[in-house]
Each structure stands twice: as C-alpha cells, then as structure tokens.
Amino acid sequence: MSDGNFNRSLLPAGGYAAGVRAGEARMKARAIAAFKQWYERTYPCADTQHQCEALNDFREALGT
C-alpha cells in the first residue's frame, strides 16, 4: 500500500519508462525539424553542406 509518496516501483512494468523515452524522442525530432525550418528561413543562400553541419551541431547540443 502506498503511503502517499510517488513511487515508480508501484507503476506497471515498462510502460512508464517506455512512454518517457518515446516522448523525448518525439520532442527531439520536432526540435530538429523546427531548427531546420528556422535555418532555411534565416540563411536562404546557405548550401546544403553548411546546413548539414549546423543540423549536426544542433543534434550534438541536444544529445542525440
């Protein structure tokens, strides 16, 4: 019986952690897509090599 404090061991096995990881992955993908749109609008004359480098730097900053 719970004493009122949050305890993850009382949650069903796997479901919570898997949902958290899926949510993090989805938010990282959305952040990368938003950065790509921003970069294309801000630097319309940049070539694809510079865009790829900027995206890779952004991914590294996110920790993916």
Side-chain angles (χ1 to χ4, degrees), residues 28 32 58-64:
K28 285 180 182 179
I32 291 169
F58 187 73
R59 282 188 182 104
E60 287 178 16
L62 285 177
T64 59

Side-chain angles (χ1 to χ4, degrees), residues 41-61:
R41 280 182 295 170
T42 305
Y43 305 106
C45 296
D47 60 356
T48 55
Q49 180 183 2
H50 287 109
Q51 182 180 6
C52 289
E53 289 173 3
L55 283 171
N56 288 335
D57 289 343
F58 187 73
R59 282 188 182 104
E60 287 178 16

Side-chain angles (χ1 to χ4, degrees), residues 3 7 11 19 25 36 39 46 48 54:
D3 60 357
N7 188 349
L11 294 172
K36 185 176 178 180
Y39 190 87
T48 55

Side-chain angles (χ1 to χ4, degrees), residues 19-42:
V20 169
R21 284 191 304 272
E24 288 176 352
R26 185 171 181 186
M27 291 307 295
K28 285 180 182 179
R30 291 179 74 183
I32 291 169
F35 177 79
K36 185 176 178 180
Q37 281 183 341
W38 171 83
Y39 190 87
E40 288 172 351
R41 280 182 295 170
T42 305

